[in-house]
Amino acid sequence: MSAAQRRRLNPLSQETESDDSGILNECVLLLVFESIKWDLQVLCLTASLNRKLRAIAKRLLWRKLCVYRAPRMVSALVNGSPNGRIGGGWDALAKLMFFCCGCDSTRNFKLSRPSPGHFAGASRFSKTSGRSFLTKKCRADLLFVSDPCEHPVGDKEDDLGIYRGVFRGFLRSNTRACLIGRQVAFDDRVRCPYCGTRVWSMTAARLVPKSAARRLGSRDGRLEYFVCVNGHLHGTCWLVPLSSDEENCEEVEEEEDEDGGDFNGEAYKKHEKVTNGTGRRSSLMF
């Protein structure tokens, strides 16, 4: 059989081979990112190069990054299935892991000025912390919540704490059922900074337990957080300065946590300028 006849019989093979060549070859991309230990900056830049690479990143690379950086947390979120789906997509989960979304004033939490988003230097997500954000009726839900990212505001004010989290299987969660059962309306001003969907204010829904303030190192009534339809949580609080005795107690408590992983982002601090002051992404792409 001649070469021309083979091409006519199998026209798709040549196109597939050409599409999978070089940088668009998924096996090559996986080997490259494994060799650089899933560098977040390089992955952001790769996803922003063109439409095909962004599609590959969205379908494959962000999931691999999340599994590499936080295997226990991801395993818990997908019930142990490495190919399981995540509400909002793996790109949204990756952004939640590594990006502090910043904040602006809301109805229930007033600021003198907005606090911009930035890549987090280091993050720790804990399901023990997550339980502190669940009411008694919702304690069967699984929620990972980060330690608050501290943002100094001014000499006369307490530091601002910004935190984030994610539910497992939010569509089937007791928290969502409770929100729907109470007919809680979506907040008309706030959107999820990680997937862009609509959110419920847990403060407006009166679903903020007192244990959340204690866990954050805040006071009751001095925090607010939102949960989106995909189960992403983000919120703010005023942090109370701790005495030396309280700091020692906090260290002991953290050692007993069931955590989901520590993510070191020191290498990405120089890229904080990718935000425009509102917590929204600009040049680097998730």
Side-chain angles (χ1 to χ4, degrees):
M1 183 184 294
S2 68
Q5 288 174 320
R6 284 196 297 272
R7 282 195 296 270
R8 283 196 298 271
L9 289 173
N10 194 12
L12 294 177
S13 63
Q14 189 175 21
E15 180 181 348
T16 303
E17 184 178 340
S18 117
D19 286 345
D20 287 346
S21 62
I23 194 172
L24 295 178
N25 186 301
E26 293 180 6
C27 293
V28 172
L29 282 171
L30 289 175
L31 289 172
V32 169
F33 281 104
E34 285 172 5
S35 70
I36 60 175
K37 298 183 179 179
W38 293 94
D39 185 286
L40 178 60
Q41 178 205 354
V42 176
L43 184 44
C44 287
L45 292 173
T46 300
S48 67
L49 287 177
N50 59 46
R51 186 164 49 91
K52 287 186 177 181
L53 283 171
R54 187 178 186 185
I56 294 173
K58 189 176 182 66
R59 178 172 51 82
L60 177 66
L61 300 181
W62 291 122
R63 174 170 61 86
K64 293 290 188 179
L65 169 72
C66 293
V67 172
Y68 178 83
R69 294 284 182 158
R72 286 183 296 170
M73 177 175 164
V74 170
S75 178
L77 290 174
V78 300
N79 286 314
S81 172
N83 295 316
R85 294 187 176 183
I86 289 287
W90 290 99
D91 53 338
L93 179 62
K95 186 175 182 182
L96 186 145
M97 283 183 177
F98 299 104
F99 189 75
C100 170
C101 61
C103 68
D104 206 340
S105 290
T106 64
R107 284 193 179 94
N108 301 301
F109 197 92
K110 301 300 180 183
L111 294 171
S112 57
R113 62 180 184 274
S115 183
H118 62 92
F119 280 106
S123 299
R124 184 183 70 98
F125 285 77
S126 166
K127 58 186 178 183
T128 304
S129 295
R131 279 196 290 268
S132 301
F133 287 75
L134 300 171
T135 59
K136 289 182 179 179
K137 292 182 179 179
C138 302
R139 286 289 170 88
D141 294 345
L142 178 62
L143 169 65
F144 286 90
V145 174
S146 72
D147 292 334
C149 178
E150 298 182 17
H151 290 230
V153 177
D155 295 337
K156 297 181 180 180
E157 297 182 83
D158 293 335
D159 286 347
L160 176 67
I162 303 176
Y163 48 96
R164 55 208 194 274
V166 58
F167 281 83
R168 178 178 70 185
F170 184 68
L171 289 177
R172 302 180 301 277
S173 69
N174 295 321
T175 300
R176 181 178 181 273
C178 192
L179 288 165
I180 292 174
R182 294 188 180 191
Q183 298 183 332
V184 179
F186 289 118
D187 192 286
D188 58 1
R189 298 182 180 181
V190 181
R191 292 272 179 165
C192 177
Y194 299 108
C195 65
T197 57
R198 304 191 73 178
V199 300
W200 289 282
S201 167
M202 304 301 278
T203 304
R206 297 184 179 180
L207 289 173
V208 180
K210 292 183 178 180
S211 55
R214 290 196 299 269
R215 188 71 193 184
L216 291 166
S218 183
R219 292 193 179 97
D220 192 32
R222 302 192 72 205
L223 73 156
E224 181 174 36
Y225 57 93
F226 302 87
V227 176
C228 79
V229 297
N230 287 316
H232 303 136
L233 178 151
H234 74 282
T236 50
C237 66
W238 293 112
L239 298 171
V240 178
L242 296 178
S243 66
S244 58
D245 291 340
E246 289 173 317
E247 287 175 353
N248 292 334
C249 291
E250 183 70 16
E251 288 174 3
V252 172
E253 185 178 12
E254 286 181 357
E255 288 175 358
E256 297 172 351
D257 276 353
E258 301 174 72
D259 60 39
D262 299 291
F263 320 130
N264 192 336
E266 291 294 330
Y268 314 123
K269 282 187 175 180
K270 61 183 178 181
H271 301 288
E272 290 177 2
K273 294 181 180 179
V274 300
T275 61
N276 57 13
T278 62
R280 299 184 180 89
R281 64 177 176 237
S282 54
S283 58
L284 293 187
M285 189 173 296
F286 280 87

